[in-house]
Amino acid sequence: MSSIRERNRDLILRAASEEFADKGFAATKTSDIAAKAGLPKPNVYYYFKSKENLYREVLESIVEPLLQASAPFNEDGHPHEVLTAYIRSKIRISRDLPSASKVFASEIMHGAPHLSPEQTEQLNRQAKHNIDCIQRWIDKGLMAKVDPHHLLFSIWAATQTYADFDWQISTVTGKANLSDADYDAAAETIIRLVIKGCEVDEPAAAQSA
């Protein structure tokens, strides 16, 4: 029974992510979500109570991975390793959660009316921590004197564009869907630009190896 509940919740959540991404919160109907999930409409209300609750669950499904992507910053690591891991994690989010990423982007563009105060505080606190970490590396001479805020904004833009602007990317590349190799190439390109642009050397241990 528990597995059935989890399966149904996952189906509804995935369908809701796609519908909210395509139509926005106001224009999305719970009947369309149910139809896309292949479940009766009452199931949406049974598992999520309301469209508003379901929308917040979609936001939660992307907020947690975004926070987890910053985990490398929470350790006392070298900028080369931390920035590389962070960029790869952000690209994986765009690959694995494209619809939820679009919903999050739309939410932010509209002033984040549905993000809870706790989520907003978590995201802001983590961003400030990441910025402070970059500034410490700069102060230690481990990387060039770039603006930490704008470096972080640039990484966000470069990685999230693979989800938020997938139509444009598909049009330019001529591919309906990017392959894992394409996402790997995207990550490596962004990593190279950031590492070289910020004049970050490899850790001493890696150089000796």
Side-chain angles (χ1 to χ4, degrees):
M1 183 64 70
S2 176
S3 62
I4 294 175
R5 288 174 58 90
E6 291 176 4
R7 172 185 171 276
N8 287 347
R9 279 182 57 87
D10 287 345
L11 286 172
I12 294 169
L13 194 60
R14 189 178 305 115
S17 296
E18 295 173 4
E19 289 293 307
F20 288 136
D22 289 343
K23 302 173 184 175
F25 174 76
T28 295
K29 299 178 180 179
T30 52
S31 57
D32 292 335
I33 294 172
K36 179 162 283 189
L39 295 169
K41 181 179 175 180
N43 277 32
V44 176
Y45 293 100
Y46 174 76
Y47 290 108
F48 295 96
K49 308 304 179 186
S50 67
K51 186 174 82 167
E52 290 79 5
N53 284 344
L54 180 52
Y55 183 81
R56 292 190 181 96
E57 289 270 1
V58 171
L59 288 176
E60 181 64 31
S61 75
I62 189 71
V63 167
E64 188 57 33
L66 287 174
L67 292 170
Q68 291 175 357
S70 289
F73 283 98
N74 299 333
E75 304 294 334
D76 188 21
H78 188 280
H80 190 287
E81 298 169 338
V82 173
L83 292 171
T84 295
Y86 180 61
I87 290 167
R88 285 179 177 152
S89 293
K90 295 282 278 113
I91 284 290
R92 280 196 297 271
I93 292 172
S94 288
R95 181 194 65 190
D96 297 341
L97 300 168
S99 295
S101 181
K102 287 180 185 177
V103 174
F104 180 78
S106 177
E107 176 72 9
I108 297 302
M109 285 189 288
H110 289 86
H114 297 93
L115 274 182
S116 70
E118 292 76 17
Q119 289 171 326
T120 301
E121 198 276 333
Q122 279 183 305
L123 290 167
N124 287 339
R125 184 174 66 245
Q126 185 65 62
K128 184 179 184 305
H129 173 80
N130 296 356
I131 289 165
D132 290 344
C133 188
I134 294 170
Q135 186 61 58
R136 285 196 298 274
W137 293 332
I138 293 170
D139 294 342
K140 292 178 179 179
L142 296 175
M143 59 186 293
K145 294 181 179 180
V146 299
D147 186 300
H149 293 81
H150 294 292
L151 173 59
L152 201 61
F153 299 157
S154 295
I155 292 173
W156 292 350
T159 54
Q160 289 172 215
T161 194
Y162 287 91
D164 302 342
F165 294 92
D166 61 335
W167 177 87
Q168 185 179 44
I169 290 172
S170 294
T171 301
V172 173
T173 61
K175 297 180 178 181
N177 296 291
L178 296 183
S179 66
D180 287 345
D182 290 320
Y183 285 107
D184 289 340
E188 292 306 317
T189 300
I190 298 167
I191 289 166
R192 183 177 179 83
L193 291 171
V194 170
I195 295 301
K196 296 294 184 181
C198 293
E199 301 172 12
V200 178
D201 293 326
E202 287 192 30
Q207 291 178 348
S208 61

